[in-house]
Amino acid sequence: MYHAVARDPNDFSRRLSVTPEAFAEQMALLAELRRTPLTTAELAARWRDGAPLPARPVLVTFDDGYAGVHRHALPVLAHHGFPATLFVSTGWLRGAYDTGGAPDTMLDWDQVRELAAAGVEIGGHSHTHPQLDQLGDAALWRELTRCRTAVAEQLGAEPVSFAYPYGYSSRRVRHRVRQAGFAQALAVGNGLARRRQGPYALQRLTVRRSTGIEEFERLVCGRAITRTFARDRALTKGYALVRRARQVRRKATTARV
């Protein structure tokens, strides 16, 4: 799971960014290891239909829609012939539907179309990138449908894959994602994606600015994942308790109203 690919990102996106040089080195390693990238839709379809996966499969995904995905990542992906999946927060992209809340320089719709034409699957990532599990039903539905409608209007095809902003979901959120027309969805989890996770809670591994090539290779090969993300998982469990408490308060307030 990537976010920004940039030499000089702002403070908001820096920790979850990678330099163009690091991204190129990481993709070269995937090629050296003879990994077979595929899109999220392809992975889910094969698991759904029982079709075999290609040898040594891997997903390369990008969240949010930062401009560097077009400028820096696309030439590298094209060089290796790698497909990928980009999950866009439609209200953050430049042009139609822009809400003005983008955290850094984002893609415009012409660039998104160029990415799609080059073999990058375009998936949904909500409209304004909220914590979906903290929203009421009406606001949650708007986030999902506005995102899906915007992608369909701009690309001429409805997106079939979704990624939860911040990786947060719940049974209610996953149900609504399915109702909105998405056939599969990715979380974070910092673990390997496995069929038993189900099509709406597939896990991914975070690639950061601090991820060196040795660590990247270990992650790609499925080694030392628990140790690498031990702190992340502890923080995730703690914050899950906070979010559940917020949900209880929100439901109580709604009931009183």
Side-chain angles (χ1 to χ4, degrees):
M1 178 184 67
Y2 291 95
H3 289 77
V5 183
R7 288 193 175 88
D8 189 25
N10 65 15
D11 291 341
F12 180 89
S13 59
R14 179 172 297 277
R15 188 176 67 88
L16 288 176
S17 70
V18 298
T19 66
E21 294 78 13
F23 181 77
E25 185 179 24
Q26 290 160 4
M27 294 302 102
L29 180 61
L30 291 185
E32 180 182 334
L33 294 174
R34 302 185 70 181
R35 297 286 160 170
T36 307
L38 65 169
T39 67
T40 302
E42 289 170 339
L43 172 67
R46 289 184 185 229
W47 272 346
R48 188 176 295 113
D49 298 338
L53 292 176
R56 297 173 292 278
V58 64
L59 295 188
V60 178
T61 70
F62 302 88
D63 282 8
D64 302 340
Y66 292 96
V69 175
H70 180 275
R71 180 178 180 183
H72 300 299
L74 179 56
V76 176
L77 294 170
H79 172 74
H80 292 289
F82 286 172
T85 305
L86 166 66
F87 297 101
V88 294
S89 293
T90 48
W92 281 3
L93 301 186
R94 290 180 288 149
Y97 326 105
D98 190 346
T99 63
D104 206 338
T105 304
M106 312 302 284
L107 296 161
D108 62 36
W109 284 102
D110 285 340
Q111 292 171 324
V112 174
R113 281 187 284 271
E114 289 178 16
L115 284 158
V120 176
E121 177 193 1
I122 308 301
H125 197 44
S126 80
H127 188 57
T128 64
H129 203 279
Q131 297 180 26
L132 295 178
D133 61 343
Q134 299 299 305
L135 299 182
D137 287 338
L140 170 60
W141 189 246
R142 285 195 299 271
E143 285 288 334
L144 300 175
T145 56
R146 285 180 180 178
C147 174
R148 196 159 192 264
T149 298
V151 173
E153 289 178 351
Q154 291 295 318
L155 301 185
E158 294 182 333
V160 296
S161 302
F162 189 83
Y164 306 107
Y166 306 102
Y168 302 146
S169 71
S170 64
R171 181 179 298 178
R172 176 180 66 101
V173 170
R174 294 189 289 273
H175 177 68
R176 295 298 267 172
V177 166
R178 181 174 183 175
Q179 283 188 321
F182 294 99
Q184 52 272 331
L186 299 184
V188 180
N190 285 314
L192 299 180
R194 301 190 186 281
R195 189 174 183 175
R196 65 174 178 266
Q197 293 161 1
Y200 292 93
L202 295 174
Q203 296 187 10
R204 295 182 288 172
L205 300 169
T206 305
V207 183
R208 302 185 174 93
R209 208 165 187 83
S210 60
T211 304
I213 194 63
E214 293 83 7
E215 179 180 313
F216 183 82
E217 181 173 5
R218 288 197 300 271
L219 297 178
V220 169
C221 294
R223 301 197 305 268
I225 291 175
T226 299
R227 183 174 71 248
T228 300
F229 293 106
R231 183 174 182 274
D232 298 78
R233 291 176 175 178
L235 291 172
T236 297
K237 288 180 180 179
Y239 198 44
L241 297 175
V242 174
R243 295 202 318 280
R244 280 196 289 270
R246 289 175 179 171
Q247 290 173 349
V248 170
R249 287 197 296 270
R250 176 178 58 79
K251 290 178 180 178
T253 299
T254 302
R256 287 195 298 271
V257 173

